[in-house]
Amino acid sequence: YDLNPDLGGPIKRQKVWFYIGGREQNVYRTIPGVPGLETNTRLRHFSNKINYAINSRNTLIGFYNWREKFDPNSQSATVSAEAAVRQQGLAHTGKLEWTSVLSNRMFLDVFVGHYYAINKYRSHLMNFEEVSSNDVPPGRLEITTGVTSGVGSVRTPVRSRPQLSASLVYSPGSH
């Protein structure tokens, strides 16, 4: 199924506008080449945005998005059960933006934002709440690199990216 409710509109005419939306999507699929094995990937999103007109030339914009992904099994005809992983991920994106019409020829845009994501990958034979791989054969640890792989491995990469930008646009003709 795929649910997509949303709502938006003015809070105060010509001054404040909002948008809020969500999505839950569940994809059920049969694993090719593995008879009788089905899996379900779940995606969830939540977004909101607000625009505030300070005056006729200046606007503030705020935005936030939350995303969750759960994919319980990457097994296929070419990926064995021992090598298959579960993925559980969360991501957050936010921004605050100021736009200003400085004159009939000059426009300013200042933007600050942040993206943060964490993904947990574990053997699909492990429970997500387990800290150790109880009753699961150990994975492989590459001593020279410290990289783990296989059934008992757990990877949790984190991505964080702050953003800042400003642009000043000048047009030789009026707009």
Side-chain angles (χ1 to χ4, degrees):
Y1 65 89
D2 191 357
L3 300 173
N4 294 282
D6 67 345
L7 179 66
I11 295 173
K12 185 173 181 185
R13 194 172 188 278
Q14 302 295 318
K15 196 74 170 166
V16 183
W17 175 88
F18 81 100
Y19 172 81
I20 187 168
R23 181 176 190 186
E24 177 153 342
Q25 181 182 30
N26 280 283
V27 179
Y28 297 89
R29 64 187 190 281
T30 302
I31 308 267
V34 185
L37 184 59
E38 293 185 356
T39 188
N40 168 21
T41 298
R42 183 185 68 226
L43 304 169
R44 291 180 176 164
H45 299 266
F46 171 77
S47 296
N48 64 38
K49 180 179 179 185
I50 191 160
N51 289 19
Y52 171 65
I54 299 167
N55 54 42
S56 63
R57 293 178 166 259
N58 293 281
T59 301
L60 286 177
I61 302 163
F63 172 80
Y64 174 76
N65 176 268
W66 172 87
R67 177 200 53 90
E68 176 191 51
K69 177 181 181 182
F70 178 69
D71 191 356
N73 193 340
S74 66
Q75 184 178 353
S76 70
T78 59
V79 177
S80 69
E82 293 78 22
V85 295
R86 289 183 182 188
Q87 177 189 6
Q88 183 176 23
L90 288 173
H92 305 272
T93 306
K95 82 166 187 175
L96 183 59
E97 185 174 8
W98 171 45
T99 60
S100 181
V101 178
L102 301 174
S103 71
N104 66 348
R105 294 183 178 187
M106 199 173 303
F107 178 80
L108 174 69
D109 184 66
V110 179
F111 167 96
V112 62
H114 191 259
Y115 170 78
Y116 175 84
I118 183 167
N119 285 288
K120 187 187 297 186
Y121 298 93
R122 291 187 177 201
S123 165
H124 83 278
L125 302 175
M126 296 171 69
N127 182 321
F128 267 104
E129 284 68 42
E130 291 176 355
V131 175
S132 64
S133 52
N134 300 331
D135 302 321
V136 176
R140 174 188 165 127
L141 171 62
E142 180 61 47
I143 295 174
T144 57
T145 63
V147 173
T148 59
S149 62
V151 176
S153 70
V154 176
R155 294 181 292 132
T156 309
V158 175
R159 292 177 182 88
S160 180
R161 183 175 55 225
Q163 298 173 330
L164 174 64
S165 90
S167 62
L168 181 64
V169 178
Y170 176 78
S171 175
S174 65
H175 68 290

